[in-house]
Amino acid sequence: MTQDGKLVLAGAPIGQAGDVSPRLRQALESADVIAAEDTRRLRRLANDIGAELTARVVSYYDANEAGRAQELVETLKEGRTVVVITDAGMPGVSDPGYRLTHLAVEAGVTVTALPGPSAVTTALAISGLPSDRFCFEGFPPRKGGERARRLGALAQEERTMVFFEAPHRLAGSLAAMAAAFGPDRPAAVCRELTKTYEEVRRGGLAELAAWAEGGVKGEITVVVAGHTAEAGERDIEELVAEVDRRAEAGTQRKQAVADVAKEAGIPKRELYDAVHRRSPTP
């Protein structure tokens, strides 16, 4: 049975306060409770758009999301309206929001959304890469081995891929993508979208990785072209050379063969045979 309360997932501007819709302003002013990822940013946004907040404002971020979600569900069951807003973009998309939404649905509470700017679709639209089919992969794993495995599993993905990444990890992630997808796979790094210092760098993954080594600041969204039969196949000699590089860096050659084959999306035996033809002790 549906309760009288209502959960509102509110999309926040990713840069410009001027992107706020009249509906978002109205929702903030009429809410009973506002659950904000950063209460200071919320109050700054309210000040920028001239919204007067009368709601009870509570923090709702990664560290307290699990416990706070249950508390907010009880508030919803009392018939109150709760607005969830994160620092930027849509709640639940690599931001707090999923747990509360799941619990609210289970409780029979009405869940609705105020759509707003999204770094995912904004970056996709301006990347210059195919946008008819795409997938959002969030943040790549932080650890190198886990990241290589995750990206290796995406080597044959035909849809355009969208990632988020922290500035200090960007160069490493782009290099890992170049190893998994090929150095010339087209991509775009979108930085500080809609903000004063917005920048979009387009090129092959290896080229972008080299650029990022110089240091990058700001909010980052990476868009990578999907695999195609024409451009996606990596030359076998290039893969053999990659095995050599990893072996020289200390990885056992047999393991290097297995890792590179998986990342490139080719049978391990095919690469093993190529390495064996060149060297009798892979």
Side-chain angles (χ1 to χ4, degrees):
M1 178 178 179
T2 301
Q3 306 291 329
D4 293 331
K6 182 167 64 174
L7 175 63
V8 182
L9 305 174
I14 59 176
Q16 300 291 332
D19 290 335
V20 166
S21 69
R23 287 186 64 209
L24 176 57
R25 182 184 291 106
Q26 180 183 23
L28 293 176
E29 291 183 332
S30 62
D32 296 305
V33 177
I34 301 175
E37 184 177 15
D38 187 324
T39 58
R40 291 169 300 178
R41 289 197 182 190
L42 167 66
R43 296 190 186 282
R44 189 180 310 131
L45 174 64
N47 182 67
D48 289 343
I49 64 176
E52 184 177 348
L53 304 183
T54 59
R56 179 167 65 94
V57 176
V58 299
S59 61
Y60 183 65
Y61 56 98
D62 289 339
N64 76 349
E65 183 179 8
R68 182 55 56 82
Q70 188 59 58
E71 172 190 325
L72 291 171
V73 166
E74 296 306 316
T75 299
L76 289 164
K77 288 180 178 180
E78 295 171 359
R80 301 184 183 279
T81 297
V82 175
V83 172
V84 176
I85 188 167
T86 57
D87 292 348
M90 201 69 194
V93 182
S94 286
D95 273 329
Y98 165 74
R99 287 184 178 87
L100 176 56
T101 302
H102 179 72
L103 291 174
V105 170
E106 284 191 333
V109 173
T110 297
V111 178
T112 188
L114 292 177
S118 165
V120 176
T121 52
T122 300
L124 179 68
I126 67 176
S127 68
L129 297 173
S131 57
D132 53 335
R133 296 176 65 234
F134 72 95
C135 58
F136 175 57
E137 291 294 327
F139 285 89
R142 297 185 180 190
K143 295 182 179 179
E146 185 180 347
R147 181 174 59 193
R149 287 189 292 273
R150 176 79 61 82
L151 295 176
L154 293 170
Q156 302 300 308
E157 174 59 64
E158 296 180 353
R159 295 172 294 180
T160 298
M161 295 168 282
V162 184
F163 300 85
F164 288 161
E165 189 51 290
H168 63 282
R169 292 196 297 270
L170 179 63
S173 283
L174 288 171
M177 290 177 188
F181 306 149
D184 298 323
R185 179 78 71 92
V189 176
C190 304
R191 186 179 73 85
E192 293 290 87
L193 287 170
T194 79
K195 299 176 184 176
T196 302
Y197 297 104
E198 176 178 290
E199 178 182 18
V200 180
R201 297 283 299 213
R202 303 175 179 88
L205 283 168
E207 174 189 347
L208 291 172
W211 162 75
E213 286 288 351
V216 180
K217 296 181 179 180
E219 300 286 337
I220 305 293
T221 305
V222 180
V223 186
V224 183
H227 169 88
T228 62
E230 295 77 18
E233 299 297 337
R234 298 177 64 183
D235 184 86
I236 194 68
E237 290 305 315
E238 178 187 342
L239 299 181
V240 170
E242 178 62 21
V243 170
D244 286 344
R245 284 193 289 271
R246 298 191 185 193
E248 291 171 1
T251 303
Q252 289 189 351
R253 191 171 292 273
K254 184 176 181 180
Q255 184 62 49
V257 169
D259 292 343
V260 172
K262 183 176 181 179
E263 292 167 11
I266 68 170
K268 181 170 64 175
R269 172 56 62 178
E270 180 181 343
L271 181 56
Y272 179 93
D273 289 344
V275 172
H276 185 70
R277 285 194 299 271
R278 202 270 330 273
S279 171
T281 56

